[in-house]
Amino acid sequence: MPLTTDARLPPPRTDAERAALATFELLTESVITRPALGRAEGAGDYPCMCRYNPDADPLATACGPHAQCINRQLFVECVPGVCPVGKKCQNRRILTRQSAAVEVVQTAQKGFGLRALEALPAGAFVLEYTGEVISRSMFLRRAKAYSALGHRHFYFMSLQKDEIIDAQRKGGLARFINHSCNPNCETQK
Ligand SMILES: [Zn+2]
Ligand SMILES: [Zn+2]
């Protein structure tokens, strides 16, 4: 049986990754369990005000970290065809899958973890947290069910009111990013 159901996903590269991938179904993008879920409020409704001249401006000004891009400041990705910068837009890191190179590792006491395979500059995008997008009532039912099944680890991520990502049974490698008391990485919604 294949460990993954998506042909675009790479095969596991290490024993730890193989063992980790046997515990859940790997997704490349979130699964919306109900049509009303998974729609970020206002996302993509308005173009930003960015202007970019490829002959004169550094690429980072094209909705990048140094642009005063209203979408980026609001943690909303630009929508192709709507963003005035066009194809050079630097604010589509999830849509264009610009994830950091990472690998799953087996930690001594905290189960599986995730490690960057290269030095990441400050502010670099690491990974989208993917899973099944569920309602709050379904979250409550699942949390009870997972407890009853004896699961010790939970992979819920609150997204917005009445929307929770559940990466317990299906999700991406971001589910293995562990808690740290001295973090160098943050969650952005
Ligand atoms: Zn912009
Ligand atoms: Zn843009």
Side-chain angles (χ1 to χ4, degrees):
M1 198 180 95
L3 291 170
T4 65
T5 56
D6 191 324
R8 288 171 300 176
L9 292 164
R13 296 155 294 185
T14 61
D15 286 348
E17 204 156 274
R18 195 166 294 112
L21 291 175
T23 62
F24 73 107
E25 183 181 328
L26 188 61
L27 298 176
T28 47
E29 53 191 58
S30 286
V31 172
I32 311 297
T33 58
R34 271 197 346 222
L37 297 172
R39 289 188 196 148
E41 213 166 290
D45 289 354
Y46 307 102
C48 60
M49 304 290 281
C50 292
R51 294 287 174 267
Y52 169 66
N53 176 354
D55 299 322
D57 302 331
L59 191 58
T61 60
C63 303
H66 306 303
Q68 296 294 313
C69 178
I70 186 72
N71 285 345
R72 198 178 179 104
Q73 287 167 353
L74 294 173
F75 303 111
V76 172
E77 291 215 330
C78 291
V79 172
V82 174
C83 174
V85 163
K87 284 191 172 140
K88 295 288 184 190
C89 173
Q90 300 296 299
N91 185 36
R92 293 210 295 263
R93 293 174 295 180
I94 291 177
L95 276 169
T96 55
R97 302 184 195 283
Q98 293 175 33
S99 304
V102 293
E103 69 172 0
V104 178
V105 292
Q106 175 75 59
T107 68
Q109 293 177 10
K110 298 290 178 186
F112 296 112
L114 206 66
R115 178 162 68 191
L117 284 167
E118 59 195 358
L120 301 176
F125 173 64
V126 181
L127 276 180
E128 180 187 8
Y129 194 96
T130 52
E132 295 175 277
V133 180
I134 60 175
S135 65
R136 184 168 168 76
S137 57
M138 192 183 280
F139 155 70
L140 293 171
R141 284 201 301 276
R142 286 191 179 189
K144 257 189 194 171
Y146 294 159
S147 291
L149 287 167
H151 287 303
R152 284 170 54 232
H153 304 291
F154 295 88
Y155 300 91
F156 294 115
M157 173 79 76
S158 167
L159 196 56
Q160 55 185 347
K161 190 171 169 284
D162 199 35
E163 265 187 32
I164 291 107
I165 303 177
D166 177 12
Q168 188 90 24
R169 297 180 296 195
K170 301 176 183 183
L173 295 184
R175 79 203 279 283
F176 292 121
I177 298 176
N178 282 332
H179 164 82
S180 169
C181 294
N182 185 20
N184 60 359
C185 189
E186 66 174 9
T187 309
Q188 294 179 349
K189 295 181 187 178

